[in-house]
Amino acid sequence: MTVRTERRPDGVALVTLDRPERHNAIDLATAARLKELWAEFRRDDAVRAVVLTGAGDRAFCTGIDRSADVPQPGSPYSLDDPLRTVGPKAADLWKPVIAAVGGMACGGAFYLLGETEFIVAAENATFFDPHTSYGMVSAYEAAYMAQRMPFGEAARMALMGTAERLSGRRAYEIGLVSELTPPGEATAAALRAAAVIASYPTEPVQGTVRALWSTREQSRSHAQALAPHLITLGNLARSEQAELFTTRTRNYRIR
């Protein structure tokens, strides 16, 4: 199992990405399971709120597992991206989802973070987007983050690549993170908040979630429609990406 699920008696489901040896990177099995889970929660009236986290203390999620083989269509107008369906909103789930982040959250993790209602993070959390460093366009990821944080901060994170990481403290200061906890306590804090929300009548809660997301629906749809073309045009060849990845440095600044 690459995803663990605990349905709690208080109406909260705890979903844990369980690949700590791979920094909770998403392989194809994990992507498929997440898609299934969101659909299950839509139909399960006992689940009224969800907390999403990652196993271990090193990472929440580091995006797509680079070992995943994702064949692509020959058309430059099409792009098969298994991460497009890993988020709750992609599955039409309007029950509140809270992310609990400890350690690294980067790249494709933003597909998940971008579709949660709010983020609770530990002080050891870091956020960064490695795409440009490895010859790839940050399209979906940058679009998600531009809706969750000040534009200049989203642009800086997307463009600085692996050279810079946003600290949990800075993420809290700019509003990306709604609550900052000591290391190891983000999940407990998220569960406390989720339990409060789950105690309220579910129809008004889901209606409020839907209303909140309606404020950004048009810009989100427009950005996602453009993303495949920008990626196809801007990405280096896979062999060139691999070379940049294998020759990467471990030097980075945390701010």
Side-chain angles (χ1 to χ4, degrees):
M1 295 295 293
T2 61
V3 182
R4 285 187 282 114
T5 308
E6 176 191 353
R7 285 172 168 82
R8 297 160 57 92
D10 58 4
V12 177
L14 175 61
V15 176
T16 305
L17 304 175
D18 195 13
R19 304 185 75 219
E21 74 286 353
R22 298 290 294 175
H23 292 158
N24 299 317
I26 301 172
D27 60 3
L28 299 185
T30 305
R33 182 56 184 147
L34 285 168
K35 182 180 179 181
E36 291 173 355
L37 270 177
W38 305 132
E40 289 176 16
F41 292 156
R42 287 182 69 221
R43 299 175 178 87
D44 188 348
D45 291 340
V47 174
R48 299 187 295 278
V50 182
V51 170
L52 174 65
T53 192
D57 57 3
R58 298 183 64 191
F60 165 76
C61 175
T62 54
I64 190 73
D65 191 317
R66 289 189 63 85
S67 66
D69 182 18
V70 185
Q72 294 297 324
S75 170
Y77 300 101
S78 300
L79 179 70
D80 288 343
D81 184 347
L83 297 188
R84 286 290 307 279
T85 56
V86 299
K89 303 304 175 287
D92 202 34
L93 177 70
W94 302 104
K95 298 179 181 182
V97 180
I98 303 169
V101 178
M104 293 182 290
C106 63
F110 298 154
Y111 286 74
L112 293 170
L113 297 182
E115 294 196 3
T116 61
E117 272 54 68
F118 57 90
I119 301 168
V120 176
E123 292 170 343
N124 67 327
T126 57
F127 303 84
F128 63 101
D129 189 346
H131 280 74
T132 54
S133 297
Y134 301 147
M136 295 181 286
V137 174
S138 177
Y140 292 106
E141 297 84 356
Y144 276 123
M145 290 299 100
Q147 290 192 319
R148 303 213 68 126
M149 54 201 292
F151 181 84
E153 293 285 352
R156 179 167 179 157
M157 183 164 64
L159 294 171
M160 290 294 287
T162 59
E164 190 172 87
R165 299 184 183 186
L166 196 68
S167 67
R169 171 61 59 184
R170 181 60 181 158
Y172 175 71
E173 290 171 351
I174 64 174
L176 174 61
V177 167
S178 67
E179 181 179 354
L180 195 63
T181 75
E185 297 184 19
T187 299
L191 287 169
R192 285 194 296 271
V196 171
I197 297 169
S199 72
Y200 299 150
T202 188
E203 291 84 358
V205 167
Q206 291 187 47
T208 300
V209 170
R210 194 66 185 88
L212 286 165
W213 283 87
S214 69
T215 64
R216 57 176 63 182
E217 196 87 3
Q218 185 172 358
S219 60
R220 183 165 64 110
S221 298
H222 182 63
Q224 291 186 350
L226 284 176
H229 311 299
L230 298 174
I231 292 169
T232 301
L233 284 169
N235 274 14
L236 297 182
R238 290 294 296 272
S239 59
E240 294 176 278
Q241 293 177 29
E243 183 178 354
L244 289 172
F245 184 77
T246 55
T247 58
R248 68 192 187 280
T249 68
R250 303 289 184 177
N251 301 322
Y252 59 86
R253 172 179 179 264
I254 296 180
R255 68 177 185 93

